[in-house]
Amino acid sequence: MTATQQYAALAAVLAVLAGAGRVWWQLHRLRRLLRAERAAALLTDATHARDMEAFRARVARAVAEQRAAEEFTARVVADLAVVTAADAIVTAELARTTHHNPQEGDTP
């Protein structure tokens, strides 16, 4: 093998090594990019799960407040019915009985 052939072979080996190094570097960058994409996807999923949990908590609070308001309204309506019945009884008793009139004395 002549010196020119040796230099050509060395140049070919160096070219192959440079090409292999470039391929390795591109694969390395691709792996890093894929890891970053996976991390971003995991963060997005975790954020979505956290947001959904917060949304569910807000909905649960709103439903609880609505139920409490409905229960309060039912109690107020029941109390109003009692007050209305008591008012009717008092009105009927006042209409049925005589009143003491201090100017005229007791009337039977």
Side-chain angles (χ1 to χ4, degrees):
M1 190 178 235
T2 64
T4 306
Q5 289 174 337
Q6 287 177 346
Y7 287 132
L10 181 62
V13 169
L14 289 175
V16 168
L17 285 176
R22 182 174 170 95
V23 168
W24 176 84
W25 180 251
Q26 293 292 338
L27 287 175
H28 175 71
R29 287 180 59 203
L30 183 60
R31 273 186 253 136
R32 287 180 61 196
L33 180 65
L34 287 174
R35 269 189 245 130
E37 282 293 319
R38 283 190 204 118
L42 288 173
L43 284 173
T44 301
D45 291 345
T47 302
H48 177 71
R50 186 194 68 207
D51 289 348
M52 286 303 294
E53 194 58 40
F55 174 74
R56 286 186 189 106
R58 284 196 312 265
V59 168
R61 280 195 306 271
V63 167
E65 289 174 5
Q66 180 66 30
R67 286 185 181 148
E70 289 171 357
E71 290 171 2
F72 176 76
T73 303
R75 284 194 309 268
V76 167
V77 167
D79 291 347
L80 184 61
V82 169
V83 169
T84 303
D87 187 44
I89 292 170
V90 169
T91 302
E93 278 299 311
L94 288 175
R96 188 182 67 76
T97 60
T98 59
H99 301 287
H100 172 73
N101 191 338
Q103 282 83 16
E104 299 180 8
D106 290 334
T107 55

